[in-house]
Amino acid sequence: MRIGEESSVSSVSSGSGPESSTGTRSGPQGQTPESYDVFRDQWGIPHLRASDELALAHAQGRVTAFDRAWQLEVERHRAEGSSASFLGPDAVVWDRFARQSRLADTARLCYEAMASDDPSTAAWVRAYVDGVNAGLAAGAARDERFARTGLAPSPWEPWVPLAIWTATHILFAGFPTKLWRERVARALGDEALTLFATDGPRIAGSNGWMVPGDRTTTGAAIIAGDPHRFIEDPGVYQQIRLSCPEYDVLGLAVPGVPGLAHFGHTGSAAWAITNAMSDYQDLYVEQLRRGDGTGVAVVEALGPDGVWEPVARHTETITVAGGGDVEVEILETARGPVIVHADGDAAAGAAPADGSAQTLSLRYPPRVRRDLGFAVLPALLRARTVADIDRALDGWAEPVNVVHAADTEGGLLHRVAGAVPLRHPANRLRPVPAWDPAHAWKGWAPTPSEPVQGFAVMANARGIASPLGVEFAPPHRADRIRELLSGSADWSPGAMAEVHRDTHLASAAPLLALLPGLDDLTPAAQELRTRLLAWDRRMEAESTDATVFAAFRTATVRRFAADPVFAGLAGAPAGPAVFHPWLYLVPKIGYALEGLLTTDLVPELDRAAHVRAALEETAAAGSPDTQWSQVHRLTPWQAVPDPDAPEWPGLGGDHDCVNATSSVPGFTDLTARASAARYVWDLARREDSLWAVPLGADGVTGTPHHRDQLPLWARCELAPVVTDWARLTKEAI
């Protein structure tokens, strides 16, 4: 099907812009065509109203393609491992991983299983894809990045939303941390495996809290929070409302995926999630041997029964804009796709000379189960009660989440949802031998739940999901949220912004605690010590003390990293570059500094000497009165940087604040991770709910709604949710 033609499932009215927003979808088996309408609020947020849920899915796909065609096509090509064809050589690293880990193939297999076992959900996904295909041409015509890169949109297959979901979450569980732990064990011994355990450079930092009705002004529950991800332009969440006779739901969608997976409010029930920090992906060390049978290359792997097993093998070619084609060998053992080759690769990174290189396969639940849990998505839209949400989430697959839900009948829910394999404890820590049957998967772990007593808080810390993971975020954000919530028994939706914006940095305490014991300081260092000890430990945007503390912390991190005890970890990472963010020493020390200041695992580390030297260094450099927001600036990821974009704002907060605008201590004060959205769901009156995203509803640069929420978001303020159709603007035909 060419863009602009009608698909076999649906059609839209002719036209190529918002003026043609009223569409028709041909009904199944020749029934009367059914329609949908598009409305917008003052922020350009789409509110869609359709005659049935398939027409609504079509409308969601079409409007998303019109608003965010560039984003959708970038995500599709990343999922398929073909983004280098228009983004150039820098994208090869990701494309190689996407192909070797079989992301698109996994999506195809999951869609085929869904079409066979759950045809109604498959039809719903197809309707969304038909809508995307109906809107892509018009959306691409709005965005100059297509012409600039030479990218022409092409029709989506029905499995593409599943591929986007898989690609978005394949690194969510942070399996590259196992590569880091292996490196630590080789350098410092097995007893140091979890020396750097903390919230590392992965997708974490999210907050969520639920206030029961007995502590609110209305007598009904409030759910609030903010998912933290790498901030992207366009944004990773799309504010949207979906209405048909079966339901009327508003929330945050993942562009390219139908429904409202993570955050939604149906009117009588609402839900929200954070990353559970569970470990559900394994790396297996594979022993491979190669032969040549009848002129065809043969690869075998040593299996757990001691028998050499056949390995599926083929090659694929990555087309590279501005460069030569790259051939990629695709191998898959009985455990999973091979993502690291022991013999290295000239493009992916050479094998280290110390013999530590390993051939590693990746085992992850969707490829094993042929299920991404997409049946949950329409079920959530239909939910009326907490019990409905709970039943729906029993089918959740990936990623593994902690969930809060509440309803207007007083129901509350706090549970974990997702697929976590049962296996040997060592699997969670490091790569394990594929030939040892002790490391095979043996079923699926039950997902914990617990009754809600008082406030329910989720912030990636140890708690309800502890049995399913290894490394969790420090408890500071969760503890701080509980402390703030305990300060009142009279919470309203508007008051929740005070929790969102809190900048108290509890993780500063161990570093500052060493300062009183330092002696033989220069006068300048003594003065700096006095200043830091008097600081209120808040990373406020206007604070100059926060800037000085960050400089002192950076100096400390760098001195720790230069200590001879860590010499074996200081070199440049080897292996595939896609995993390198998990393998650099300075960021690992920056995130783990609090633990390194107190652990007894490295007694030869002279902490006091490093802190003293860092204090003197910072004092000698001077302490200009620079506000934290002047150095702590937002730096979103853009597939193609916009040279004409206005300057990104400076922010308050830091990694372990509730306002978790994450810098990388020791490396940069800039922030690439922050709240990808903020929400407050009011169960008393949905129209009193609030939300905001970092940029805006429109993915096209320079349009009125591309960055109109940015000032609001940067101040940690929220926009009111609009539910009255009379207050919305219907887009004319």
Side-chain angles (χ1 to χ4, degrees):
M1 184 185 75
R2 298 191 305 274
I3 294 298
E5 291 181 338
E6 295 180 357
S7 74
S8 59
V9 176
S10 61
S11 63
V12 296
S13 58
S14 60
S16 59
E19 66 277 3
S20 58
S21 61
T22 299
T24 59
R25 180 189 60 82
S26 56
Q29 299 180 356
Q31 295 178 10
T32 303
E34 303 179 69
S35 63
Y36 53 80
D37 295 309
V38 178
F39 298 78
R40 305 270 185 180
D41 64 16
Q42 64 174 324
W43 301 99
I45 296 168
H47 294 244
L48 311 179
R49 190 163 63 186
S51 56
D52 68 17
E53 61 180 351
L54 289 183
L56 185 59
H58 186 282
Q60 185 183 6
R62 180 167 178 251
V63 166
T64 303
F66 183 80
D67 289 353
R68 297 168 178 247
W70 170 256
Q71 181 180 23
L72 293 190
E73 283 293 88
V74 168
E75 294 305 319
R76 177 176 74 86
H77 281 281
R78 282 175 56 81
E80 294 177 358
S82 57
S83 61
S85 64
F86 63 98
L87 296 180
D90 288 347
V92 170
V93 167
W94 171 265
D95 285 353
R96 177 185 286 105
F97 168 69
R99 290 171 184 258
Q100 289 182 330
S101 57
R102 313 301 311 279
L103 299 184
D105 186 66
T106 299
R108 291 187 192 97
L109 293 173
C110 291
Y111 181 81
E112 290 170 2
M114 181 172 62
S116 173
D117 301 336
D118 185 6
S120 62
T121 299
W124 180 72
V125 174
R126 281 199 308 273
Y128 179 88
V129 169
D130 286 335
V132 169
N133 286 333
L136 266 180
R142 303 176 63 226
D143 201 316
E144 57 84 25
R145 287 170 290 193
F146 283 91
R148 193 183 348 157
T149 60
L151 176 63
S154 55
W156 283 26
E157 297 292 332
W159 49 264
V160 169
L162 286 75
I164 289 176
W165 187 263
T166 305
T168 299
H169 297 106
I170 188 65
L171 296 176
F172 233 67
F175 70 81
T177 301
K178 297 177 182 181
L179 300 175
W180 170 253
R181 293 198 201 106
E182 187 71 17
R183 193 178 181 193
V184 170
R186 291 178 184 276
L188 301 176
D190 285 358
E191 65 277 8
L193 263 178
T194 58
L195 174 63
F196 295 86
T198 186
D199 177 20
R202 53 197 281 191
I203 311 297
S206 302
N207 304 308
W209 57 93
M210 182 163 60
V211 182
D214 61 354
R215 296 168 184 255
T216 69
T217 58
T218 64
I222 297 173
I223 299 175
D226 51 344
H228 288 72
R229 296 178 178 238
F230 287 99
I231 302 301
E232 301 179 12
D233 180 10
V236 298
Y237 281 115
Q238 172 196 32
Q239 299 154 297
I240 198 168
R241 181 183 183 186
L242 307 173
S243 179
C244 63
E246 291 81 4
Y247 47 76
D248 183 341
V249 190
L250 60 84
L252 301 166
V254 175
V257 178
L260 302 167
H262 289 155
F263 308 93
H265 197 323
T266 70
S268 61
W271 68 92
I273 63 94
T274 64
N275 185 352
M277 307 294 282
S278 297
D279 184 274
Y280 51 88
Q281 301 163 328
D282 283 350
L283 292 175
Y284 286 89
V285 182
E286 299 282 359
Q287 289 189 33
L288 302 184
R289 69 181 185 184
R290 295 176 182 265
D292 191 71
T294 63
V296 179
V298 175
V299 184
E300 295 178 314
L302 184 62
D305 56 2
V307 176
W308 288 93
E309 306 166 337
V311 174
R313 177 191 181 276
H314 69 278
T315 61
E316 297 181 9
T317 300
I318 299 173
T319 301
V320 184
D325 290 351
V326 176
E327 187 175 271
V328 180
E329 182 182 45
I330 311 297
L331 300 175
E332 185 163 10
T333 73
R335 270 66 56 195
V338 172
I339 60 168
V340 178
H341 292 259
D343 52 0
D345 184 289
D354 63 3
S356 63
Q358 299 172 317
T359 295
L360 301 176
S361 62
L362 172 65
R363 188 167 180 82
Y364 58 104
R367 190 149 187 88
V368 173
R369 292 157 51 106
R370 303 294 193 262
D371 176 34
L372 274 169
F374 264 46
V376 174
L377 304 183
L380 285 174
L381 296 177
R382 301 184 195 111
R384 296 292 183 270
T385 66
V386 157
D388 295 336
I389 294 171
D390 196 18
R391 281 191 298 271
L393 291 173
D394 286 339
W396 190 265
E398 185 179 73
V400 180
N401 293 323
V402 177
V403 182
H404 285 163
D407 61 33
T408 54
E409 299 176 3
L412 303 172
L413 177 68
H414 185 194
R415 65 164 290 178
V416 177
V420 179
L422 293 168
R423 73 277 206 216
H424 194 284
N427 290 40
R428 295 182 178 182
L429 291 172
R430 63 199 301 183
V432 293
W435 54 89
D436 186 343
H439 297 289
W441 287 11
K442 301 174 181 178
W444 303 94
T447 50
S449 63
E450 62 183 30
V452 177
Q453 298 177 336
F455 305 113
V457 176
M458 49 185 185
N460 315 120
R462 292 189 182 275
I464 189 173
S466 294
L468 305 178
V470 175
E471 295 191 21
F472 294 83
H476 307 306
R477 286 183 289 110
D479 290 347
R480 181 63 174 169
I481 292 169
R482 291 189 184 95
E483 178 185 354
L484 293 170
L485 293 177
S486 298
S488 173
D490 204 25
W491 284 99
S492 66
M496 292 299 165
E498 293 301 319
V499 182
H500 282 118
R501 70 168 57 97
D502 188 77
T503 63
H504 185 263
L505 187 68
S507 61
L511 179 55
L512 296 176
L514 292 176
L515 295 184
L518 300 180
D519 51 19
D520 299 325
L521 296 175
T522 64
Q526 292 180 37
E527 182 180 349
L528 176 58
R529 175 173 63 181
T530 300
R531 178 178 181 179
L532 288 172
L533 290 176
W535 172 48
D536 62 6
R537 304 185 187 185
R538 299 184 68 88
M539 302 297 285
E540 291 289 339
E542 301 81 14
S543 173
T544 58
D545 290 341
T547 308
V548 173
F549 170 77
F552 168 51
R553 179 178 60 185
T554 287
T556 303
V557 168
R558 291 176 178 171
R559 288 184 175 275
F560 271 45
D563 192 287
V565 72
F566 298 127
L569 300 170
V578 71
F579 306 131
H580 286 184
W582 283 263
L583 303 177
Y584 281 107
L585 177 62
V586 169
K588 298 299 285 191
I589 287 180
Y591 287 125
L593 181 61
E594 184 179 7
L596 292 172
L597 287 166
T598 57
T599 182
D600 57 5
L601 288 176
V602 281
E604 60 271 46
L605 182 66
D606 192 339
R607 297 162 181 80
H610 288 316
V611 172
R612 180 186 295 105
L615 187 69
E616 292 283 5
E617 175 188 334
T618 308
S623 53
D625 287 332
T626 303
Q627 293 186 350
W628 177 230
S629 59
Q630 291 181 247
V631 297
H632 190 56
R633 307 194 72 84
L634 180 64
T635 56
W637 179 83
Q638 297 172 303
V640 175
D642 180 6
D644 300 321
E647 185 177 38
W648 295 101
L651 304 172
D654 198 33
H655 190 70
D656 288 322
C657 302
V658 177
N659 184 11
T661 55
S662 300
S663 60
V664 185
F667 179 69
T668 181
D669 289 328
L670 298 173
T671 179
R673 281 201 302 160
S675 297
R678 296 189 180 100
Y679 61 89
V680 178
W681 297 149
D682 184 12
L683 271 300
R685 284 168 38 93
R686 186 171 67 166
E687 56 267 38
D688 290 338
S689 298
L690 303 160
W691 56 4
V693 294
L695 298 179
D698 200 330
V700 180
T701 57
T703 55
H705 297 301
H706 177 230
R707 290 172 49 138
D708 57 338
Q709 294 185 54
L710 180 58
L712 193 76
W713 173 86
R715 298 191 301 268
C716 290
E717 297 176 1
L718 299 159
V721 164
V722 178
T723 59
D724 183 353
W725 294 98
R727 294 176 56 197
L728 303 173
T729 301
K730 183 178 179 180
E731 293 187 340
I733 297 176

